[in-house]
Amino acid sequence: MIKSINPYTNETIEKFKQDSKSTLSKKIKLADKTFQTWSKTDYARKKTLMLQLAKELKKNKNDYALAITREMGKPISQAVAEIEKCAWVCEYYAANAKSQLKPIEIKTDAKKSYVRFDPIGAVLAVMPWNYPFWQVFRFAVPSLMAGNVCLLKHATNVMRSAENIQQAFLNAGFPEGCFQNLIIKSSKVEDVIRNKRVKAVTLTGSKAAGSSVASIAAEEIKKSVLELGGSNALVVFEDAKMDETIKTCVQARFQNTGQSCIAGKRLLVHESIYLDFIEGFITEVRELKSGSPEDEDTFIGVMASEKLAKELEAQLTSSVEKGAKVILGGKRSKAYFEPTVVINVNKKSPLFEEETFGPVMAVTSFKTDMEALDLINRSKFGLGVSIFTADLERAKAMVPHIEDGAVFINEMVKSDPRLPFGGTKESGFGRELSSFGIHEFVNKKTVYIK
């Protein structure tokens, strides 16, 4: 039995019976059967269904958001925004998938030669709890528009959200088998990946989970896409717009109670403005309202579990032992962790080297552009970087030397359906969203006509 537990009240919300071996087999067979017809469905029909799905999400956004809030503690206003973003990705691909999947003609010595993009079949998604709708939709929507079908293995603490997503697809009119939630634990994932009817897998999660999934897929010679952890740098130069940058950096670190792979976790500030910036940053953080995740004005709720809060506490304690200094917050009460700001964070401390998945900001100063670049690239992660400066030429000159998958100038790193999303190094490989995302799970087929 899989339990859904409210991290704010610690009460069991719901229990879900795990899929038996027989049920799991039936779901995978249904996916394969549905693919035979869905892959031949014309674009107009897929577009209509996707727009209906967007309407379904908007109609039920408050109910879906409340389930998210109760399952993993996301403040309710942020949960509603998550559902609205899912509707956006539906509308984006409904409008753009046709052109993104259009065959590309290439001039050769042939009478005609071109590349077409054909669907491959059932794709398994192994998804995390921190954005229980968005992470799923940014995979599922382009996959379905490409003609594939989707199987979801969601995090066990957000199984109600997983069931809601499946029902949303059905309510919108998608054929049964286009999108199915597998009620299983991680121990069953290997069997699903190895099933001959499953053609590829995508995972958003930890390095350990990604390494395991990718290695199993590789053994089966199946495509995999990994979106793993991050330790994004927020780099503030001396000429940055102070007040505006402070607000953006606070949002980048503390939204979703700091539980985001693309959160700005390492704040790098030029030494000439260091003291003034930190003073303003602390003032802004103090204004963040903590409280019940179900209150509309709450910005900082609880972390998704007490276990996760304890892990963050251990990272903080170890970093303090290595010389870091807590200047705001630092205390934990069960699953609640105070918004925390830590200075004097050196390059060997856990707050700098590891991913911190919670409301703790690690602050380091720098003197030169070269030192800033070194601090950015020193991380074993490579998901994204934000640079704040009035000198756009200076920022653009740095871009080729940054190893991450995304560089945002005077803005926080965020996922956008129109732009490719993904990382380098231990942040994974492959891309989601935009035309790059829809091309991940297709057969890029060369056609040559003499």
Side-chain angles (χ1 to χ4, degrees):
M1 196 68 69
I2 293 174
K3 291 182 179 180
S4 179
I5 299 173
N6 185 326
Y8 185 71
T9 64
N10 207 35
E11 295 174 348
T12 298
I13 308 166
E14 203 169 351
K15 297 179 181 179
F16 301 86
K17 184 180 179 182
Q18 294 184 57
D19 288 342
S20 65
K21 186 176 182 180
S22 173
T23 299
L24 185 59
S25 178
K26 287 177 182 177
K27 286 184 176 181
I28 296 172
K29 287 178 181 178
L30 175 60
D32 186 53
K33 181 180 178 182
T34 302
F35 171 70
Q36 306 310 317
T37 53
W38 179 252
S39 60
K40 300 176 182 67
T41 301
D42 62 65
Y43 176 77
R45 178 60 178 157
K46 287 187 280 192
K47 177 179 179 178
T48 297
L49 290 173
M50 200 56 72
L51 291 175
Q52 287 176 192
L53 179 58
K55 291 178 181 177
E56 181 72 16
L57 290 168
K58 291 175 182 178
K59 182 178 73 174
N60 297 295
K61 65 181 181 181
N62 292 322
D63 290 340
Y64 293 155
L66 186 58
I68 290 173
T69 296
R70 289 178 174 171
E71 283 191 308
M72 54 73 60
K74 187 190 299 286
I76 189 67
S77 61
Q78 296 174 36
V80 170
E82 180 176 341
I83 304 300
E84 292 171 342
K85 191 171 184 178
C86 292
W88 177 27
V89 82
C90 293
E91 293 164 347
Y92 170 79
Y93 278 108
N96 294 284
K98 186 175 184 178
S99 62
Q100 292 167 341
L101 295 168
K102 183 180 178 180
I104 299 174
E105 191 164 338
I106 301 172
K107 291 193 175 185
T108 66
D109 56 353
K111 181 179 179 180
K112 186 176 184 180
S113 50
Y114 59 94
V115 176
R116 57 176 289 129
F117 305 102
D118 293 337
I120 59 174
V123 183
L124 171 67
V126 182
M127 292 287 117
W129 49 264
N130 58 327
Y131 287 90
F133 263 66
W134 173 243
Q135 308 275 28
V136 175
F137 272 79
R138 75 183 187 194
F139 145 74
V141 173
S143 294
L144 286 163
M145 291 303 289
N148 298 311
V149 296
C150 303
L151 296 167
L152 170 65
K153 188 283 169 198
H154 219 325
T156 53
N157 62 325
V158 289
M159 199 52 64
R160 170 43 53 200
S161 292
E163 289 285 279
N164 284 347
I165 294 170
Q166 177 178 275
Q167 193 59 50
F169 277 97
L170 292 172
N171 291 348
F174 281 83
E176 189 178 5
C178 269
F179 183 97
Q180 296 179 86
N181 177 41
L182 310 180
I183 307 177
I184 58 174
K185 292 188 176 180
S186 298
S187 58
K188 299 294 183 182
V189 168
E190 180 173 351
D191 292 340
V192 179
I193 296 173
R194 294 192 188 278
N195 189 294
K196 64 182 181 180
R197 294 182 174 88
V198 175
K199 304 303 181 184
V201 59
T202 181
L203 175 139
T204 298
S206 67
K207 177 190 174 183
S211 178
S212 175
V213 162
S215 63
I216 295 166
E219 286 180 13
E220 298 295 325
I221 319 299
K222 295 180 180 181
K223 175 72 178 287
S224 63
V225 168
L226 302 181
E227 199 277 279
L228 307 179
S231 185
N232 290 9
L234 300 163
V235 188
V236 183
F237 286 97
E238 68 276 11
D239 58 353
K241 293 180 180 179
M242 182 78 75
D243 293 344
E244 187 178 310
T245 299
I246 285 171
K247 290 182 184 297
T248 302
C249 289
V250 169
Q251 180 78 13
R253 170 66 277 199
F254 294 103
Q255 68 173 358
N256 201 27
T257 315
Q259 298 168 117
S260 172
C261 57
I262 57 171
K265 294 161 187 168
R266 296 178 297 136
L267 179 58
L268 313 179
V269 184
H270 193 274
E271 64 174 11
S272 65
I273 61 166
Y274 183 81
L275 294 177
D276 288 342
F277 191 89
I278 297 306
E279 182 180 352
F281 188 83
I282 288 174
T283 299
E284 191 72 19
V285 174
R286 283 199 176 106
E287 295 298 313
L288 301 178
K289 185 182 183 301
S290 296
S292 168
E294 294 187 33
D295 290 346
E296 286 287 342
D297 57 348
T298 292
F299 190 87
I300 298 289
V302 289
M303 293 181 63
S305 71
E306 185 174 351
K307 177 178 178 290
L308 292 167
K310 286 180 176 178
E311 289 173 1
L312 182 63
E313 186 177 44
Q315 289 174 306
L316 176 61
T317 299
S318 178
S319 296
V320 169
E321 290 171 354
K322 293 179 184 297
K325 181 181 178 182
V326 177
I327 57 172
L328 182 70
K331 294 185 175 62
R332 177 188 67 82
S333 176
K334 297 182 179 178
Y336 172 72
F337 206 106
E338 289 181 324
T340 299
V341 180
V342 186
I343 61 171
N344 301 339
V345 176
N346 67 60
K347 294 173 282 191
K348 295 294 184 182
S349 67
L351 292 184
F352 191 96
E353 287 193 324
E354 301 172 6
E355 179 175 32
T356 50
F357 221 64
V360 174
M361 177 64 93
V363 188
T364 306
S365 66
F366 67 89
K367 296 180 181 179
T368 66
D369 293 13
M370 288 301 295
E371 185 181 3
L373 275 172
D374 176 67
L375 290 169
I376 292 167
N377 290 331
R378 186 173 288 269
S379 175
K380 61 187 176 183
F381 299 102
L383 199 51
V385 174
S386 291
I387 297 174
F388 299 90
T389 176
D391 187 346
L392 298 185
E393 294 307 312
R394 173 196 218 174
K396 287 190 285 186
M398 294 179 71
V399 170
H401 306 288
I402 292 172
E403 299 166 356
D404 291 50
V407 179
F408 280 59
I409 299 171
N410 296 321
E411 180 59 285
M412 59 187 279
V413 176
K414 53 189 176 183
S415 54
D416 182 320
R418 299 163 294 189
L419 297 169
F421 180 86
T424 62
K425 299 188 280 189
E426 290 189 18
S427 290
F429 50 74
R431 292 295 180 266
E432 296 178 303
L433 302 175
S434 76
S435 61
F436 294 90
I438 203 169
H439 287 163
E440 284 287 3
F441 296 116
V442 294
N443 175 13
K444 302 174 184 70
K445 185 180 294 178
T446 296
V447 180
Y448 181 102
I449 303 172
K450 187 172 181 180

